[in-house]
Amino acid sequence: MTPRPALFLIGTAGFLLLASAAAADPRAQIRGEMDDELRAQLVRAVGEVDEAPANRFEARRRARGAMQAAEALLRSEGYYQPVLEDIVEGEETPVAIVNVTPGRRFELAEVQVLWVEPAPDAEADRAVRGEIGLTPGQPGRAADVISAEGRIIAGLTRRGYADAEARPRRVVVDHAVFTVQPTFNIASGPLVRLDGVRLETRGPTNPDWVAGLAPWSVGEVYDPDDVAELERRLLETGVYDGVGVALAPTAQTDGDGHRPVIVTLTDRPRRILEAGATFSTAEGSGVDLLWTWHNYFGRADTLVWQARAADVDSRLGVALGLPHWRRPGETLRLSAALLNEDTDAYRRTAVALAADLQQRLGKTSWISYGVGLDAGKYDENRFDPLTQLPVNFNRDLVILTGRASAYLDRSNDPLDPTTGWRLLASAQPTAVAGEDTVLFLRTEAQATAYLPLQKGAKTVLAGRVRIGSIIGGEELTVPSDRLFYSGGGGSVRGFEYQGVGPRLPDNTPRGGLSLFETSIEIRRDVWRNFQGVAFVDAGAIGFQETPNFNNLRYGAGFGVRYKLPFGPIRADIAFPLDRREGDADFQIYVSIGQAF
């Protein structure tokens, strides 16, 4: 489709939307003396119709229906003595009208709570009464009364009264003194203490492993947050299509007065075979084959066999994830791979082994630590700072790496954040042996922030800063794959992969000992699920331990997002602002989720 027809369709759709909005009329006009907020509520309660009444009979029918709706709204808002009149004006073009005199607004009297035996303990009684949230003298709105009753039940449930329920309430409307007095009749039921976990579905999952995930001990008072936490721990493993966690019925209370929590699991397919292909103007093409085994060891584990043939990164590997390893929220990840990397900066053929432990903090934050061992052959085109000449290395290296990182997420959405911030930091002490021996520390940190500029986050300002430094190593001795590079969809858009830093005479990217990157984006909702984005990125590679801001390179561009329930699909086009010989005129990036 060409741009002109697309614009025509968008314009036509907008015209039709405006036309339909203009054609809607209120079912009846609201007249009378009242405040603007009440009038707006009455207009919404009365509703709209698509066309004017055909005759006076139809107008009268609409006026009476509107009057009934208006009376119901007034009563729910505390106006129990309104005067309403349905009116029809006009002969040829009759108009339905409701004339409203709201009268005096009734106020709440002292709220009463009556316990249906058995009553809760004194501490719970005081606590839930303090959470009712109704004050004598405030407007006697029905919605406030119903909400208060819900807060009583929720308060009891949080304090261990899992069977609490509301019995029919009594609301006395006193027309003499203009008050509304609610009386809540609440059956709290007995205080519930928890037993263990009972897995009721058959499958590969070990029931003892599930029981070990319970965030409570036998005999503890029931807390719905604990039950929800067990459900979340099972869901986050990713091996179940469905998880059900619920307190057992009262009839299943044991002799000690404890009740179990029942778990039902719907397993994902035990074996999943996936194939995929990728193509990028910056990073080349490739094909992937993944064979995933779920729950092989009966503890919600995931075992992935991978085969990839690609221009940049080809590998044969296996990875095992063991969630809730020694304690809830802790995941053990083990991996092994035979790999062949062929980038513009270096070529590497190696065996890579890794083991990491990640501990979740809250819902999305975590800390991780582990160790990696790489052994292989490196073919590197490097730059000698002393001779100012290129030099080629072919060397066999063994690299032992300690890995520690932390991620703190205070944003509101993992794929489409509109407010909050995130912080990622990592440190990798590294020992290199073989044809060279060197010790160094590679550190890196990235911070992102999101600021809504309009109500409803229709416009969002997003920013990112990334800094990296290698301490203790020299440019020539640090292996090429551990140096810093910049450029591409995840760093400075507009440049190809590893394309920001200086290049050697043979066009090989020169990796550095330090890194600085920054980005700023304006994201604006433009139409329905579509969002427009404009951005500027900048980055620099330095050859000392501290970042160098003197050789910053800039890229800028714009993009579009199509928002789906799980997150946005992103398409960006970016241009290098200080293009060098050999740089492409532009780069295109397509992925899921925001750029950062």
Side-chain angles (χ1 to χ4, degrees):
M1 181 179 290
T2 62
R4 191 178 299 275
L7 290 174
F8 171 76
L9 289 175
I10 293 173
T12 302
F15 174 77
L16 292 175
L17 288 171
L18 290 174
S20 63
D25 291 318
R27 183 163 53 156
Q29 294 182 10
I30 300 297
R31 294 183 183 175
E33 295 293 329
M34 68 196 77
D35 61 64
D36 293 339
E37 181 180 354
L38 180 59
R39 185 181 301 276
Q41 289 178 293
L42 287 168
V43 170
R44 288 194 297 270
V46 165
E48 296 178 337
V49 291
D50 294 333
E51 57 186 15
N55 49 54
R56 287 180 62 85
F57 175 80
E58 175 66 18
R60 177 67 65 183
R61 186 180 66 83
R62 291 186 182 182
R64 288 176 178 172
M67 185 175 67
Q68 293 173 355
E71 183 177 17
L73 182 280
L74 288 167
R75 290 179 64 86
S76 71
E77 290 296 313
Y79 298 94
Y80 287 93
Q81 293 181 349
V83 177
L84 300 101
E85 182 182 9
D86 58 296
I87 302 170
V88 176
E89 291 183 352
E91 296 293 337
E92 298 296 328
T93 56
V95 177
I97 300 167
V98 177
N99 193 64
V100 179
T101 302
R104 180 173 172 177
R105 196 174 201 178
F106 284 45
E107 297 177 348
L108 284 175
E110 190 70 33
V111 176
Q112 295 185 7
V113 178
L114 301 180
W115 301 113
V116 178
E117 295 297 333
D121 61 73
E123 183 179 349
D125 187 334
R126 288 192 300 271
V128 296
R129 288 180 187 272
E131 296 171 356
I132 291 176
L134 297 181
T135 304
Q138 75 181 71
R141 299 178 66 248
D144 293 340
V145 173
I146 295 171
S147 297
E149 186 177 71
R151 287 192 291 272
I152 295 173
I153 300 301
L156 288 170
T157 303
R158 289 196 306 273
R159 291 167 176 85
Y161 294 89
D163 305 312
E165 63 178 6
R167 300 291 172 83
R169 76 185 78 89
R170 183 169 180 263
V171 180
V172 176
V173 179
D174 192 329
H175 288 261
V177 292
F178 303 99
T179 60
V180 177
Q181 183 178 47
T183 299
F184 300 113
N185 297 298
I186 307 296
S188 67
L191 183 67
V192 175
R193 296 187 180 275
L194 292 176
D195 198 357
V197 175
R198 189 169 72 226
L199 180 60
E200 288 203 338
T201 49
R202 293 185 177 181
T205 302
N206 186 335
D208 292 336
W209 177 78
V210 175
L213 297 182
W216 65 83
S217 301
V218 173
E220 285 188 15
V221 173
Y222 166 82
D223 186 338
D225 290 341
D226 286 343
V227 176
E229 173 65 14
L230 175 58
E231 181 177 16
R232 190 166 65 83
R233 289 175 180 179
L234 289 166
L235 279 172
E236 72 181 7
T237 64
V239 306
Y240 303 111
D241 279 335
V243 174
V245 181
L247 184 66
T250 306
Q252 297 186 23
T253 304
D254 67 15
D256 296 325
H258 301 159
R259 283 161 64 178
V261 170
I262 297 174
V263 173
T264 57
L265 302 174
T266 303
D267 294 291
R268 295 186 65 186
R270 299 287 304 282
R271 304 286 186 270
I272 299 176
L273 184 62
E274 300 171 279
T278 59
F279 175 77
S280 167
T281 56
E283 300 177 32
S285 58
V287 292
D288 276 278
L289 189 65
L290 296 176
W291 193 18
T292 303
W293 297 4
H294 287 137
N295 230 344
Y296 182 77
F297 298 105
R299 54 175 331 284
D301 49 275
T302 300
L303 185 63
V304 179
W305 305 86
Q306 179 186 28
R308 177 194 297 164
D311 293 337
V312 172
D313 180 3
S314 299
R315 64 180 57 207
L316 290 172
V318 60
L320 174 63
L322 297 168
H324 310 303
W325 171 240
R326 295 175 303 182
R327 57 179 179 266
E330 182 184 69
T331 300
L332 173 63
R333 292 186 173 90
L334 306 173
S335 64
L338 296 172
L339 52 88
N340 180 64
E341 291 180 301
D342 188 356
T343 74
D344 289 342
Y346 61 88
R347 289 180 294 277
R348 177 172 75 126
T349 303
V351 176
L353 306 174
D356 293 281
L357 276 173
Q358 184 184 92
Q359 178 64 55
R360 176 172 54 80
L361 306 174
K363 292 184 178 180
T364 55
S365 302
W366 47 262
I367 57 173
S368 176
Y369 55 93
V371 63
L373 179 64
D374 295 28
K377 185 176 184 62
Y378 286 72
D379 182 3
E380 308 163 280
N381 291 328
R382 305 296 290 273
F383 181 78
D384 189 337
L386 296 178
T387 64
Q388 298 290 300
L389 294 174
V391 60
N392 178 261
F393 288 154
N394 281 288
R395 50 183 179 168
D396 296 322
L397 300 176
V398 177
I399 305 174
L400 180 64
T401 306
R403 296 135 66 107
S405 58
Y407 179 63
L408 190 59
D409 185 358
R410 293 295 182 266
S411 66
N412 63 331
D413 190 281
L415 289 176
D416 188 20
T418 58
T419 185
W421 53 271
R422 299 170 180 168
L423 179 63
L424 174 64
S426 67
Q428 297 181 348
T430 303
V432 180
E435 297 184 24
D436 275 308
T437 302
V438 62
L439 297 172
F440 62 89
L441 175 65
R442 190 181 195 271
T443 61
E444 188 175 342
Q446 175 171 285
T448 58
Y450 313 93
L451 177 66
L453 301 181
Q454 285 182 306
K455 187 177 181 180
K458 291 181 64 66
T459 302
V460 175
L461 176 65
R464 177 183 73 95
V465 175
R466 179 186 174 201
I467 297 177
S469 176
I470 294 175
I471 303 169
E474 298 179 356
E475 181 184 344
L476 275 181
T477 57
V478 175
S480 294
D481 65 318
R482 306 305 166 103
L483 295 173
F484 288 108
Y485 302 89
S486 184
S491 57
V492 182
R493 288 164 286 186
F495 295 91
E496 64 181 5
Y497 179 62
Q498 299 179 337
V500 164
R503 289 180 174 269
L504 304 186
D506 64 355
N507 212 34
T508 298
R510 182 184 172 189
L513 297 177
S514 60
L515 165 76
F516 174 79
E517 290 178 354
T518 186
S519 302
I520 188 166
E521 282 193 353
I522 291 287
R523 304 167 183 171
R524 166 72 178 175
D525 293 341
V526 291
W527 183 66
R528 292 191 178 179
N529 292 339
F530 286 93
Q531 183 182 70
V533 173
F535 57 85
V536 176
D537 298 342
I541 296 296
F543 304 101
Q544 295 80 36
E545 294 178 354
T546 56
N548 184 354
F549 302 100
N550 296 325
N551 60 349
L552 281 171
R553 305 197 65 202
Y554 300 87
F558 55 89
V560 64
R561 312 286 184 264
Y562 183 74
K563 293 188 175 182
L564 295 172
F566 60 84
I569 295 176
R570 171 172 69 102
D572 289 336
I573 182 170
F575 309 88
L577 299 185
D578 45 356
R579 182 170 170 267
R580 301 172 301 189
E581 184 177 356
D583 289 335
D585 293 332
F586 61 89
Q587 299 284 346
I588 295 175
Y589 310 94
V590 179
S591 67
I592 295 176
Q594 297 286 3
F596 56 88

